[in-house]
Amino acid sequence: MSQTWVTPGGVHPPENKHQSLTQSIGVLPLPEKLVVPLNQHIGAPAIPCVEVGQKVLKGEVIAKAAGTVSIPMHAPSSGVVSAIEHRPIAHASGMLAPCIEITTDGEDRWIAHEGVDDYEHLAPRKLLEIIANAGISGMGGAGFPSAVKLNPGRQRPILTLIVNATECEPYITADDSAIRERAAEIVEGIKILSAILDHPDNIFIGIEDNKPEAIEALAPHVEGTGISVVSFPTKYPSGGEKQLIYILTGKEIPSGKLPADLGMVCINIGTTYAIKRAVVNGEPLISRVTTVTGDAVGVQRNYETLIGTPVSHLLAHSAFDEKACSRVIMGGPMMGFTLPSADVPIVKTTNCILAPSYAEIPDDEPAQPCIRCGMCAEACPVSLLPQQLFWYSQAQDHERLEAHNLFDCIECGACSYVCPSNIPLVQYYRASKSEIRKARAEKVKSDHARERFEFHKLRMEQAEREKEEKRTARREAALQASAAPSNPSSSVPSSSAADIIAAAQARAAAKQATPEQQQAQLERTIAAAEQRLIVAEQKLAEAIEKGSANQSVLSAAVENTRQKLEQAKAKLAELTA
Amino acid sequence: MIELIAQNPILAALIALVGLAIIFGALLGFAAEKFKVEGNPIVEQIDELLPQTQCGQCGFPGCRPYAESIANGDAINKCPPGGQATINAIASLLDVPAPELDEEHGQESPVRTVAYIREDECIGCTKCIQACPVDAILGAAKLMHTVIADECTGCDLCVEPCPVDCIDMLPVAETLTDWSWSIPKKPGQLIATDTRGELSHAHTQGGGA
């Protein structure tokens, strides 16, 4: 037995694990409808690749991974895709999220699948690909895509592999029962992980000493494999990643760092089973072990549950007494959250459905003022100062919250568990965390907006400057153009309009090259003038007859036309002479 | 000379002090020139705190001019998009009491909004494009325009110039990723006999404990 270390703080809530361990892992009848949410993990939601009405087989891909930090989704059973729409999901907000609904056909027919036997000889990259394609994300809590976690890069070699079988939350026995019944497969899964991580020096299975049967079940399988099963005293929350690493290695993961930075990887034991099934059996992650427990259900046990099974289906087959139930909780009593309705589906991270009676978990007592007793600080497993954080949360003093390392809080709930004033401390921390995150996002956005505004201003100024430049250029060009004719080429300044007309006439005359053309032109002019003269004279005669006022104007026009006619005739005579 | 100084300790002290004063004075003078801070850092800091919507509700053409004006002693409560949070932040930066938001310049909106163009009605006049301070509207003359929602600061400067009133300011819907827990009621405000409804509502949110 290797040495273990003791984490600070922690609490010892009643374990309540024996109730659900009286029977082996059961299998539920196939639900009529399965609802698979597209975002069951940390990262981008999967993208549906099926259409409504399409027939799917068990294990068929129904949604593809969107990028690296994402996982695909598979049909948990055979049937027809009956809807792709927003549905209520297991989230504390009670909001809707995109889901794929499959109406099962009862046949439960598998798609053709095949595993690999000699994973030892497969390249780690190939194994990671299998794990990624099987849609495996961490099944302990957060749901981080496993293939990403197992691939920390060459600059961070993994020397220690830690398998988390702690299951420190009260009531939950999903991992415990899985180890009891599937120890061989779990150990095989760990061997696959060891192959992927290039055989780390140390492989630990961390398990609390309240699971002697599980420890016993693992013992024969780990013999001679180099895997050591390390048990340690039961205390909540020993199952937190950073807590477990400290318990097993005595090393603290610095704030803001990952275990991989210290050459460690921590994987939930349920995930190792899923990895074994994916690699050796070729089965994607479409079901998991879920504990159904609490005094409001008649049958408390573990079920191998298909992902997408409605919680109500699970409860209906467990002799659920709705009237006796104070609330339905997904997860454990410490970190779980109350479900907005029992119609939400089981997802890849759902390890427990807890339906307690009013006696087990009564309604929240109203919070009393903080009396500064300091019990929360004693209970905190991360050695924070919960009461200070509480005051700063109330004041929304983000700067001080960050200075007091709010973001190292693992939201385990130990502080609110011990609080004699029943203050929902964790809710304050969660709210403050998201407020700080929001403020950070807004800061990024406003910086971006400032950049764009400044660029916009610059652009406008530049456009204005260019316009101004063009305007001045045009003005200068106009000035030069008006100055040009006065240059030496013509000595006489063409100031008067008459001169300009004369010059134009001269140019026109010059253009007419031959005398024949000029003659023809003049003849046309004479003919036109004669015509005009006749018309003008007629008009004048009419005007005189009627005694109109514009006689003088008309007579002047007649005179004018006659003069022009004579001029043209004279010119013609000149030309023909 | 040296003898005279040695004889008179007062003189020695005086010379030493004056000498030191000259040396340090020169050093400080040099440092002041060498490490001179360009621009007005307080304006930068105030500008950092303003929300950068560039909406002009404060009466200045953009956030930076208002920041400059605050640095010159203008009131700090003229920014409705920033709201009380911004006023408090500027107040603590300048070490002055934080006043309430000046209602004359507008009211603080509880939800963030972005502009949305009803595209069927848009006539493509480009007036909104010219009004947008952050170039978040896309389109060309006589062609439909649209708002790049991610770039929109919600300043609503584009609403007024639209000749066909086809721009709406829509609240940004909350999604699963930006949903957050709310700060619980102050402890000690409720006693057990108070509204039971409120309690049962509270524990649908407070799974923790």
Side-chain angles (χ1 to χ4, degrees), chain A residues 230-269:
Chain A
V230 184
S231 83
F232 46 88
T234 304
K235 180 168 81 173
Y236 179 84
S238 298
E241 186 173 65
K242 291 186 175 183
Q243 280 64 41
L244 182 64
I245 287 172
Y246 182 74
I247 289 169
L248 297 182
T249 66
K251 284 182 189 159
E252 270 190 75
I253 310 294
S255 173
K257 294 247 174 172
L258 294 170
D261 296 322
L262 266 66
M264 292 187 235
V265 147
C266 189
I267 293 274
N268 173 263
I269 199 150

Side-chain angles (χ1 to χ4, degrees), chain A residues 68-70 128 131-132 136 144-153 156:
Chain A
T68 332
V69 188
S70 181
L128 286 173
I131 291 170
I136 297 175
F144 191 77
S146 297
V148 182
K149 198 178 198 178
L150 289 167
N151 191 12
R156 293 187 294 185

Side-chain angles (χ1 to χ4, degrees), chain A residues 93 95 97 333-334 338 363-364 367-368 394 427-428 430-431 434 443 445-446 448-450 452-453 456 459, chain B residues 47-48 51-52 54 112 132-135 150-151 174 176 179-182 184-188 196 203 206 208:
Chain A
S93 67
M95 283 164 100
M334 301 296 282
T338 305
D363 279 341
D364 293 334
Q368 303 293 327
Q394 278 185 307
Q427 197 181 329
Y428 281 94
R430 283 179 179 160
S434 33
K443 182 91 195 70
K445 206 173 151 49
S446 80
H448 184 63
R450 179 188 303 119
R452 284 182 76 89
F453 175 62
H456 172 86
R459 193 168 63 82
Chain B
D47 193 36
E48 284 278 299
Q52 305 300 324
Q54 319 295 353
R112 206 171 76 80
C132 181
V134 290
D135 292 333
D150 279 349
E151 308 290 359
E174 194 176 42
L176 274 177
W179 175 84
S180 66
W181 294 79
S182 54
K185 277 215 165 113
K186 211 169 172 223
R196 202 141 181 98
H203 70 60

Side-chain angles (χ1 to χ4, degrees), chain A residues 181-194:
Chain A
E181 294 177 33
R182 299 164 178 175
E185 286 182 281
I186 285 169
V187 172
E188 199 165 4
I190 298 171
K191 283 183 192 159
I192 295 170
L193 290 179
S194 170

